[in-house]
Amino acid sequence: MANKKKSRDMQGLVVGTILVLVLALGVYGVINQFTGSKQEAADKVYPIDYKGQPFIGKENAPVKIMEFGDFKCPVCKQFHDTIFPRLKKDFVDTGKVSFYFTNTQVIGPDSLTAGEAGEAVFKQNPQAFWKYYDAIYKQQGNENVKWATPAFLVDLIKKNITEVDANKVSEDLTKKTFEKETLADNTKYNNTGINGVPLIMVNGKQIQNGLSYSEIKAAIEKELQAK
Ligand code: CA
């Protein structure tokens, strides 16, 4: 009897050990797959269309950053207020990075109006776009309120961007001159298959946390080293 019990115990032990091993291997495999796919995601290069988009910095800078942003999105404002000035100072003004913007319309219908006004300013004066970029983020209203009306935007331009003809922008908004082009920008964002703005791409590689200066800085330095 005692021996039989002992051998049953042994059997149990063996089966138990095998089970633990199988489980451990499985967990290891899942972790491996997870870190593997995470690395893969970080290395994936998305095709980015820079042509005809607003940018600052040296056109042939070794690193290109594309921001996909919505003027009504609070996190985009946060990016503009806290991360953008540091990137500009450390990398754009030093000739290492050219910084581009593509408008997206994810928050509300007036996201499109704000995008169209930006496009209208850009068409009149490409560098004045960046004054618009600063002014509209500074004056951003509540995301649940329709504040980016043509009247608000034209007034914003009149007060902040004197080198642009605000009446012409007003006309462009009424005629929806740049609606198609602005919607096309949003399609470029949708085509990435990524959900969430601001979406920051460094040489086409996605930054997981757009509000992390250190993550963006590390990605830029990696690209600079690869040159
Ligand atoms: Ca555009």
Side-chain angles (χ1 to χ4, degrees):
M1 281 297 268
N3 270 349
K4 237 184 189 170
K5 186 180 180 292
K6 212 175 176 184
S7 87
R8 258 210 314 262
D9 282 352
M10 274 300 283
Q11 266 175 12
L13 195 69
V14 169
V15 170
T17 308
I18 288 172
L19 263 176
V20 166
L21 268 172
V22 166
L23 268 175
L25 274 172
V27 168
Y28 174 77
V30 168
I31 288 173
N32 220 18
Q33 217 174 22
F34 181 70
T35 49
S37 65
K38 218 178 157 191
Q39 190 55 46
E40 238 169 68
D43 289 340
K44 180 173 175 181
V45 179
Y46 290 81
I48 303 290
D49 186 6
Y50 301 98
K51 213 171 145 256
Q53 296 301 108
F55 76 94
I56 45 164
K58 246 173 47 188
E59 193 165 13
N60 58 351
V63 178
K64 283 183 164 71
I65 294 183
M66 177 61 82
E67 173 195 352
F68 292 90
D70 182 330
F71 293 127
K72 281 201 75 184
C73 134
V75 189
C76 301
K77 174 182 166 56
Q78 231 179 309
F79 173 85
H80 166 269
D81 292 353
T82 62
I83 307 294
F84 176 70
R86 295 179 71 185
L87 285 177
K88 187 174 177 298
K89 180 172 169 280
D90 295 347
F91 295 105
V92 176
D93 295 346
T94 55
K96 292 172 184 156
V97 166
S98 49
F99 186 94
Y100 289 74
F101 182 82
T102 298
N103 183 263
T104 67
Q105 303 110 44
V106 297
I107 303 288
D110 49 334
S111 295
L112 177 60
T113 322
E116 282 178 59
E119 202 74 53
V121 168
F122 176 69
K123 288 291 162 20
Q124 281 193 44
N125 182 329
Q127 281 315 302
F129 170 83
W130 296 98
K131 280 196 176 178
Y132 178 77
Y133 178 82
D134 283 337
I136 192 164
Y137 277 132
K138 254 181 216 153
Q139 313 235 351
Q140 189 188 68
N142 185 307
E143 63 177 313
N144 300 314
V145 174
K146 195 172 168 183
W147 54 266
T149 61
F152 173 88
L153 297 166
V154 169
D155 187 55
L156 181 91
I157 292 163
K158 265 188 190 148
K159 284 181 180 145
N160 295 281
I161 322 171
T162 46
E163 59 268 54
V164 157
D165 179 355
N167 293 326
K168 173 82 174 61
V169 175
S170 175
E171 210 182 290
D172 288 335
L173 289 177
T174 307
K175 289 186 182 161
K176 300 188 181 300
T177 314
F178 300 111
E179 186 185 62
K180 221 174 121 187
E181 218 171 314
T182 313
L183 288 169
D185 276 354
N186 194 59
T187 302
K188 291 172 199 167
Y189 161 70
N190 284 335
N191 285 345
T192 64
I194 299 167
N195 212 346
V197 285
L199 169 60
I200 307 298
M201 299 284 206
V202 175
N203 276 354
K205 293 175 189 163
Q206 182 194 357
I207 298 294
Q208 297 296 323
N209 177 5
L211 290 184
S212 163
Y213 179 73
S214 58
E215 189 184 333
I216 301 173
K217 183 173 186 269
I220 294 169
E221 278 163 356
K222 197 175 163 193
E223 291 300 312
L224 288 172
Q225 265 169 19
K227 291 277 160 183

